[in-house]
Amino acid sequence: MKILTPSQLHKADQYTIEHQKISSWELMERASLAAVEKIKAILKAPKPVTVLAGSGNNGGDGLAIAFHLDQLGYEVEVLVLKYTTEYSKDCKINFDRLQAKTEIKVEEFTEDSNIESLNFKPVIIDAVFGIGLNRALPEFVEKVIKKANHAQALRIAIDVPSGLFLSKLTPPQSIVFEADYTLTFQCPKLNFFLPDYGNALGKIQVIDIGLDKSFINKLDSDFEFVNKKYIDGFYKVRHRFSHKGDYGHLLVAGGQYGIMGSVSLTAKAALKSGVGKVTVLSPQCGVEILQHSVPEAMVIPSDDIEQVSPKHLNFKPSNICIGMGLGQSKLAVKSLTYFIRLSKQPILIDADGLNILSKNKNLFEDLPDQSILTPHQGELKRLIGEWGDQYDKLDKMKKFSRQYNIILVSKDAYTFTVYDDQVYINSTGNSGLATAGSGDALAGIISSFLCQNYSPLESSILGVYIHGKAADFYTTSNSELSLTASDVINCLGKTL
Ligand SMILES: NC(=O)C1=CN([C@@H]2O[C@H](COP(=O)(O)OP(=O)(O)OC[C@H]3O[C@@H](n4cnc5c(N)ncnc54)[C@H](O)[C@@H]3O)[C@@H](O)[C@H]2O)[C@H](O)CC1
Ligand SMILES: [K+]
């Protein structure tokens, strides 16, 4: 799903209005009715609602939502935060409709209003600002939002949590509506996925309001929101008449004394993601552990008891995955160098392998094209250097990926896969993934798809997607904090 900018969305609005021969008010009504359906599903039963409405079209949405909730028997009150002298055309239509057709109490708030008397119902709907916010919130609006954020209420933002900027980064310490749910129209917005105010979004639900698809398809965007529809576009169905040779042979190289679980998780995750065969190059101390923990994997003992060492292989791996538990000793550096130079296919480098790369940048020249690096944020900083703000970080990631022709999987609350100036933002996963071994499992999953003839970019996008999907499956019946990397692996079979 393309991630569009506010100006692209405005253009799509206009095009749709002209080509579907509808009025802007009808488009607003369509959007608002769709939002009401989502609100009903979230609330499950009517609850008293306070609608905070602005005087622009986001406010117009809010007034339409108030009207339709009232028609459904909800107890609704409306607070209009009149931050412009005039209502937008469509907002005014909805304002007049409320006055004419309902008994709803509509209170107009301006900068001279007394905020102390303000109370909220158990559900607060934020329709104050949407994609049109272009400067700091008026002070009186800030005060109302701050009070709403402290109220004992369920908070639902319409289109964008008010106070969040979309066309630039929101200044630190800004007041932003802290939504439990954000119901956003047509596509998510890039700033939703940046850590600065990412927690203000709550659960994001995208509402397709029928903007003209042919127009949207022609729009350029560097950002793709990866959902199931996107995955279905390249996911391969297996054929009955196939054999394990069709699904590749992965070499996993890593582990050291006391950290054998890392490669065990990687090997298991690779097997649970469909690779044909896995061989682990393991320190001698880990051979028995691996034979017990992952009987489906073959094991080659390193020449060293406690660490991996360069090793002549008696088979040609389809792809190599290296780094987890590798350590950063001289021998580890030698091993990484050896396998980077041995591999003619894209190689996946994770964990200590990345830290070694950061300290031996000469190795980048030897990386096969479209190799995959899977750093968490600390490892990313060591790879690409410190960044200023989040936009600077995005630029640095794109530049790094282009400079070395590699796929960069930046693991975070929303994992960004970066290649060829495109950024693929994953839609699955949850906070439970912030747990030991989660990255080892991801490395195995992505490597597994590499061996199954997905392109390195597809392998990365698909691997990140099902890694998060497995975590989401687990947390449908378990808490996020109880999630372990083994749970992710055990749930992989539930993902596609
Ligand atoms: N295709 C869609 O996504 C549709 C979206 N709809 C809704 O329309 C809003 C966007 O409406 P717009 O009037 O452009 O902007 P806002 O309502 O977000 O802002 C109101 C207005 O206020 C002015 N303004 C901006 N910043 C400030 C400020 N800090 N202080 C005072 N005034 C400010 C500016 O002029 C804005 O225009 C979108 O989010 C959806 O909710 C349609 O309903 C359906 C199609
Ligand atoms: K809003």
Side-chain angles (χ1 to χ4, degrees):
M1 181 186 289
K2 261 183 200 165
I3 293 179
L4 303 176
T5 63
S7 66
Q8 286 177 320
L9 278 165
H10 275 308
K11 287 194 188 98
D13 268 11
Q14 287 316 313
Y15 185 91
T16 303
I17 288 162
E18 282 149 33
H19 288 73
Q20 289 183 7
K21 303 209 180 342
I22 55 171
S23 69
S24 56
W25 181 82
E26 283 166 314
L27 183 57
M28 179 178 281
E29 193 71 354
R30 183 194 295 178
S32 305
L33 282 165
V36 164
E37 287 311 304
K38 296 282 186 186
I39 292 166
K40 280 164 60 183
I42 290 166
L43 299 185
K44 296 187 175 47
K47 292 185 178 74
V49 173
T50 297
V51 173
L52 296 177
S55 41
N57 285 345
N58 191 242
D61 287 346
L63 298 180
I65 289 166
F67 174 76
H68 291 294
L69 289 176
D70 175 73
Q71 300 292 297
L72 290 167
Y74 282 65
E75 183 196 333
V76 182
E77 71 171 15
V78 173
L79 222 49
V80 175
L81 307 186
K82 203 147 181 280
Y83 47 67
T84 48
T85 43
E86 297 306 320
Y87 287 99
S88 73
K89 176 174 68 64
D90 295 336
C91 187
K92 186 67 173 63
I93 293 171
N94 286 337
F95 183 87
D96 294 343
R97 178 172 63 171
L98 275 188
Q99 304 281 54
K101 298 198 172 168
T102 73
E103 299 301 313
I104 291 177
K105 187 176 98 185
V106 179
E107 209 178 328
E108 278 195 339
F109 242 65
T110 63
E111 54 204 344
D112 308 325
S113 305
N114 167 22
I115 184 172
E116 296 320 311
S117 61
L118 199 49
N119 286 306
F120 300 102
K121 302 288 187 191
V123 178
I124 303 173
I125 292 179
D126 158 34
V128 181
F129 282 108
I131 60 174
L133 183 71
N134 56 28
R135 52 193 188 280
L137 291 175
E139 201 178 327
F140 84 97
V141 172
E142 263 197 351
K143 283 183 187 151
V144 173
I145 289 175
K146 207 167 177 178
K147 192 161 185 177
N149 284 343
H150 288 101
Q152 283 297 318
L154 180 84
R155 282 179 287 278
I156 300 173
I158 302 301
D159 207 16
V160 187
S162 296
L164 186 73
F165 284 95
L166 296 184
S167 305
K168 59 188 176 188
L169 290 170
T170 305
Q173 321 311 327
S174 294
I175 299 292
V176 176
F177 184 79
E178 291 164 14
D180 298 295
Y181 292 87
T182 295
L183 309 179
T184 195
F185 297 130
Q186 203 61 42
C187 68
K189 284 70 180 175
L190 172 62
N191 286 12
F192 287 7
F193 306 109
L194 303 178
D196 307 34
Y197 289 87
N199 289 327
L201 276 298
K203 288 190 179 60
I204 301 168
Q205 295 188 11
V206 179
I207 301 178
D208 185 338
I209 59 172
L211 295 188
D212 191 281
K213 296 275 186 295
S214 61
F215 180 82
I216 287 176
N217 288 342
K218 290 188 203 113
L219 296 174
D220 277 338
S221 169
D222 288 353
F223 300 94
E224 182 76 36
F225 185 57
V226 176
N227 53 15
K228 186 168 183 323
K229 191 163 171 245
Y230 187 84
I231 295 294
D232 288 347
F234 65 87
Y235 181 68
K236 296 184 189 117
V237 178
R238 286 197 161 200
H239 299 299
R240 186 171 184 85
F241 287 94
S242 62
H243 54 84
K244 61 177 180 287
D246 297 328
Y247 303 115
H249 186 169
L250 175 65
L251 174 73
V252 177
Q256 60 181 299
Y257 182 74
I259 321 184
M260 288 313 301
S262 59
V263 280
S264 169
L265 289 167
T266 302
K268 249 186 239 170
L271 288 158
K272 290 288 277 184
S273 304
V275 70
K277 289 190 279 187
V278 172
T279 295
V280 180
L281 172 61
S282 157
Q284 290 172 22
C285 68
V287 173
E288 230 178 285
I289 295 166
L290 285 164
Q291 294 278 259
H292 279 298
S293 64
V294 198
E296 299 88 348
M298 294 166 277
V299 184
I300 302 175
S302 157
D303 299 338
D304 185 278
I305 295 174
E306 295 193 350
Q307 293 187 65
V308 166
S309 63
K311 182 87 180 178
H312 174 69
L313 302 175
N314 61 2
F315 73 100
K316 190 175 176 310
S318 321
N319 292 90
I320 298 171
C321 165
I322 185 169
M324 53 295 301
L326 188 67
Q328 299 184 43
S329 68
K330 284 199 178 62
L331 184 57
V333 174
K334 262 177 79 181
S335 300
L336 181 72
T337 305
Y338 175 81
F339 285 108
I340 286 177
R341 290 176 180 159
L342 174 77
S343 180
K344 297 294 167 262
Q345 296 303 318
I347 187 171
L348 184 143
I349 302 177
D350 184 38
D352 285 325
L354 298 171
N355 294 324
I356 292 172
L357 271 185
S358 301
K359 292 178 187 151
N360 302 270
K361 290 218 177 356
N362 57 300
L363 286 173
F364 281 111
E365 302 314 323
D366 299 325
L367 280 179
D369 280 350
Q370 298 190 44
S371 286
I372 302 167
L373 307 186
T374 55
H376 58 51
Q377 297 308 293
E379 291 156 347
L380 180 66
K381 268 204 180 82
R382 285 188 283 277
L383 276 173
I384 70 173
E386 292 287 337
W387 50 79
D389 61 28
Q390 291 297 315
Y391 288 171
D392 179 42
K393 174 182 166 186
L394 280 169
D395 290 343
K396 281 190 162 69
M397 285 200 285
K398 287 182 182 179
K399 180 165 169 280
F400 182 85
S401 163
R402 207 170 40 245
Q403 183 179 354
Y404 297 112
N405 189 17
I406 49 108
I407 286 111
L408 195 54
V409 177
S410 167
K411 297 181 292 193
D412 205 346
Y414 288 96
T415 291
F416 285 22
T417 298
V418 181
Y419 184 63
D420 193 20
D421 280 345
Q422 291 295 305
V423 181
Y424 302 86
I425 299 175
N426 186 48
S427 63
T428 62
N430 59 66
S431 70
L433 283 168
T435 182
S438 174
D440 301 322
L442 177 62
I445 297 167
I446 295 175
S447 307
S448 169
F449 289 123
L450 259 184
C451 293
Q452 297 174 65
N453 299 314
Y454 284 94
S455 75
L457 179 59
E458 289 169 340
S459 303
S460 304
I461 292 170
L462 178 58
V464 167
Y465 180 83
I466 74 156
H467 180 253
K469 196 89 178 152
D472 290 341
F473 180 83
Y474 173 84
T475 52
T476 51
S477 49
N478 300 277
S479 64
E480 292 186 3
L481 62 85
S482 69
L483 180 69
T484 65
S486 298
D487 296 322
V488 172
I489 294 167
N490 294 336
C491 292
L492 283 171
K494 311 280 188 188
T495 55
L496 284 166

